[in-house]
Amino acid sequence: MADHIAVPQPLPILPLLREHTYRPAWWVPGPHAQTLWGKFARRAPSVPTRIERWATPDHDFVDVLRLDAAATRPRLLLLHGLEGTIRSHYVGGLMRMAYERNWGADMLIFRSCGDEPNRTARFYHSGETGDAALVLDRILEEFPSAPILLCGISLGGNVLLKLLGERGEMLPDRVRAAAVVSVPFDLERGSRHISKGFSRVYERHFLRTLRKKAEAKLQSFPGLFDRDAMLRAETLYEFDDVVTAPVHGFRGAHDYYTRSSSLRFLARVRRPTLLLSAMDDPFLPRDVLDQVADIARRSGFLTTHFSKRGGHVGFVGGTPWNPVYYAEKRVGDFLAEWSVVSPSEQRRPSGARSSR
């Protein structure tokens, strides 16, 4: 049975938003199958992308995956999830969505997530917005006539929402709208939740790759953190407490999560932003989404779309012989409709539309 999405009537100053209904694939049942399908079963779409390397002010670099388009066409800036790469299933899907709409696109590859380790004594993390801001500012400079659209997936969505909240009204007018998918919102509650039940499978996967990167970093920067404590870490919370937090100047995991969670920044977002999540997301307890929905109801800029099913960055629909990746379509439609509306026309009274 389909999740029915009831969209309240738009106010006159808004673009006409389509009604959206996500119909979960019957052949991909349950949150874990939805979460794992893209990684193990999806064919990577073919898109003509290339990678550029940009220097950073701290004598390091970031790599940017780029999709070319006419200089006046909208450009999509994409931020990927925890331990994501250019090979992550949603990256190809979103790049293909942009390509089919004749948009340009750029994905920031977070430090240590590319094919070459970064040079400095740091990684990336859920609250680090400096590199995203650097890439956004450079895109704005390179394409002075293009509307800029933003999208973040999971951890990248947390980074994006934090950046939007930090900049608030200071964003240039050409930054039109944003969309985020399966954001953790509250990092501490998400970290505790992923340590329970079947979700431990995802946690162990992340820990394997994070430990490998941490070991390599210690070879270049001996004493950066306590190696023995890192090897004893059995949860993401413990890893963040002994590695992520001290390396990036936090007092511990609790301090890192508290200062970096996008939940604290939602009320300051000043661009139309779609928050797309599933209530059965195995990375996040449902009560977090209830809190997000409460904040969104008092905002004039946040649109929540919380479906009953979909897993984490899943949202698989269609048929076995013609699967549909709903999140990419929903994100594309939302951003497309706001891309033609200037910020002066975007303001509306408090009370964001929501879909449950």
Side-chain angles (χ1 to χ4, degrees), residues 71-131:
T72 57
R73 294 295 297 160
R75 290 198 73 86
L76 175 68
L77 172 58
L78 174 62
L79 303 180
H80 64 76
L82 178 64
E83 293 299 89
T85 71
I86 62 173
R87 292 169 287 280
S88 296
H89 69 91
Y90 54 81
V91 172
L94 287 163
M95 286 286 178
R96 184 70 191 181
M97 178 274 290
Y99 179 73
E100 291 175 350
R101 293 174 182 269
N102 294 318
W103 293 354
D106 307 278
M107 185 182 81
L108 165 62
I109 303 170
F110 291 127
R111 300 194 202 195
S112 81
C113 291
D115 292 334
E116 182 181 335
N118 66 302
R119 304 185 187 115
T120 53
R122 53 153 290 190
F123 304 95
Y124 70 107
H125 65 79
S126 299
E128 204 292 301
T129 56
D131 287 346

Side-chain angles (χ1 to χ4, degrees), residues 254-268:
H254 178 72
D255 182 47
Y256 160 47
Y257 293 152
T258 300
R259 291 165 57 186
S260 300
S261 291
S262 58
L263 195 66
R264 299 177 56 238
F265 296 86
L266 285 175
R268 301 183 225 166

